[in-house]
């Protein structure tokens, strides 16, 4: 098998929320919960904050936040700051953007990669995100970015439909037709305080079936993202994903890293897995 890239982003690749804890949505799986753990940075302080990150040895950062009424993470409001960061530092920037359009292309060329949550079924979009968007809207973003030479890393959350697995296969098939370098697979974590807090997460075996299908269908690199259940579930899943032949995996348990060294060459990278 090819070398396995183990990504550990938390040490030198922080996640920044540029909207604080604000998000206009209240998604069934998130409920704004994941914004709480991100570092909050004000617009007036963003450039200086990133310069200090570089001085302290950080590799880069994720620019993220909640969605506004346009269903965008309003990074376009930070266009000048993003340009300045790229011109005055060597930091790598991963941008979580939402539903961008052609007006965003001018500043998007300054980020290294765009992370895009991708859903391949209209009904799941409606019930989980509660927005009037369709699969074709997500594909339009993929088309816009790839046709303009901007790297995009689609993220599929296995089990996003309240723990059920079914639409993920169609999503993988759709993405396989685009020039995407890396596809990220996350797995639903039922999160306290959300509509899905009592949802049973998808089983390890069923989740690994999706990983295997993606490995067989998608030509680019396949990554296991940072969102997936912890404990015994993660131990079993990570072991199975590595045996299937994923190219990248984020935050695996230490014992999995030591085990993987016996069967594959390992490279540890302190960045987001889309880098």
């Amino acid at each position: 098998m090819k070398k396995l890239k183990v990504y550990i982003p938390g040490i030198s690749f922080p996640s920044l929320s540029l909207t604080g804890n604000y998000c206009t949505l209240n998604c069934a799986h998130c409920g704004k919960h994941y914004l709480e753990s991100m570092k909050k940075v004000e617009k007036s302080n963003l450039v200086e904050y990133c310069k200090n990150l570089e001085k302290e040895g950080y590799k880069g950062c994720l620019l993220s936040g909640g969605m506004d009424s346009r269903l965008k993470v309003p990074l376009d409001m930070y266009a000048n700051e993003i340009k300045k960061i790229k011109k005055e530092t060597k930091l790598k920037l991963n941008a979580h953007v939402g539903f961008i359009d052609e007006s965003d292309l001018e500043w998007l060329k300054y980020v290294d990669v765009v992370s895009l949550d991708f859903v391949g079924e209209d009904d799941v979009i409606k019930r989980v995100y509660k927005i009037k968007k369709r699969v074709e809207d997500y594909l339009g973003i993929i088309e816009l970015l790839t046709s303009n030479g901007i790297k995009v890393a689609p993220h599929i959350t296995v089990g996003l439909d309240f723990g059920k697995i079914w639409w993920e296969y169609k999503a993988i098939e759709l993405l396989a037709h685009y020039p995407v370098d890396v596809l990220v697979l996350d797995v639903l974590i039922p999160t306290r305080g959300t509509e899905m807090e009592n949802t049973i997460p998808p089983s390890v075996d069923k989740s690994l079936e999706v990983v295997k299908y993606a490995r067989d269908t998608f030509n680019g690199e396949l990554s296991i993202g940072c969102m997936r259940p912890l404990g015994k579930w993660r131990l079993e899943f990570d072991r199975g994903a590595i045996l299937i032949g994923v190219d990248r995996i984020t935050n695996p348990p230490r014992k999995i890293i030591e085990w993987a060294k016996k069967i594959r060459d390992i490279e540890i990278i302190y960045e987001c897995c889309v880098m």
Side-chain angles (χ1 to χ4, degrees):
M1 290 185 185
K2 293 190 297 182
K3 178 187 289 185
L4 175 66
K5 301 172 187 175
V6 174
Y7 285 81
I8 305 175
I11 294 175
S12 61
F13 210 99
S15 297
L16 312 183
S17 173
L18 304 185
T19 67
N21 289 330
Y22 172 81
C23 181
T24 192
L25 304 184
N26 187 25
C27 300
H29 68 305
C30 175
K32 310 176 188 179
H33 171 84
Y34 291 98
L35 291 172
E36 295 174 5
S37 61
M38 294 182 182
K39 175 68 179 179
K40 313 303 187 295
V41 182
E42 298 288 340
K43 181 177 181 180
S44 60
N45 191 43
L46 180 60
V47 175
E48 193 63 29
Y49 181 84
C50 287
K51 285 183 177 180
N52 287 332
L53 284 181
E54 184 178 50
K55 289 177 184 177
E56 295 171 11
Y58 287 78
K59 307 284 188 182
C61 58
L62 168 66
L63 300 178
S64 186
M67 287 192 182
D68 61 16
S69 60
R70 304 170 300 165
L71 300 184
K72 291 182 178 182
V73 179
L75 299 186
D76 54 331
M77 306 299 186
Y78 297 76
N80 291 331
E81 286 78 11
I82 291 171
K83 294 175 188 177
K84 196 167 185 179
I85 291 166
K86 290 303 291 184
K87 288 179 180 179
E88 298 183 11
T89 77
K90 295 181 180 178
L91 293 179
K92 297 178 182 179
L93 298 180
N94 176 14
H96 185 207
V97 295
F99 290 88
I100 50 91
D101 53 47
E102 289 188 3
S103 68
D104 296 291
L105 291 174
E106 197 277 330
W107 67 265
L108 278 168
K109 65 185 180 183
Y110 289 93
V111 305
D112 294 275
V113 63
V114 170
S115 287
L116 178 70
D117 293 328
F118 185 85
V119 184
E121 181 62 42
D122 292 348
D123 191 49
V124 177
I125 297 168
K126 179 180 179 180
R127 288 188 290 105
V128 175
Y129 289 98
K130 304 174 178 35
I131 56 176
K132 295 179 180 179
K133 292 290 184 180
R134 304 180 65 184
V135 176
E136 62 191 46
D137 296 308
Y138 285 86
L139 292 175
I141 298 172
I142 300 285
E143 178 67 34
L144 177 66
L145 294 171
T146 56
S147 63
N148 283 280
I150 297 169
K151 289 189 175 184
V152 57
H155 289 51
I156 293 174
T157 300
V158 177
L160 182 66
D161 186 18
F162 292 81
K164 297 187 292 293
I165 293 176
W166 61 285
W167 63 271
E168 293 85 347
Y169 295 96
K170 174 186 173 182
I172 292 166
E173 291 174 3
L174 290 171
L175 292 171
H177 293 95
Y178 291 88
V180 172
D181 293 334
V182 58
L183 170 62
V184 180
L185 297 181
D186 289 316
V187 183
L188 177 73
I189 301 175
T191 301
R192 184 178 300 174
T194 71
E195 286 183 46
M196 294 193 192
E197 67 176 327
N198 295 317
T199 296
I200 298 173
S203 70
V204 169
D205 289 344
K206 292 296 185 183
S207 299
L208 287 175
E209 287 177 11
V210 178
V211 176
K212 179 65 165 59
Y213 187 80
R215 178 71 294 166
D216 293 340
T217 307
F218 183 72
N219 290 325
E221 293 204 2
L222 184 62
S223 181
I224 301 302
C226 51
M227 179 180 175
R228 60 194 189 283
L230 297 170
K232 182 181 178 182
W233 193 102
R234 182 173 292 208
L235 283 170
E236 295 178 358
F237 176 82
D238 288 9
R239 186 185 297 267
I242 290 169
L243 288 172
I244 286 170
V246 296
D247 302 284
R248 313 178 184 193
I249 189 165
T250 312
N251 291 333
R254 171 55 60 181
K255 63 173 61 178
I256 291 295
I257 296 176
E258 296 306 315
W259 164 80
K261 288 178 179 178
K262 299 175 183 178
I263 61 171
R264 295 179 64 174
D265 290 334
I266 300 292
E267 179 182 5
I268 296 180
I269 303 169
Y270 297 99
E271 300 176 357
C272 277
C273 74
V274 300
M275 291 296 162

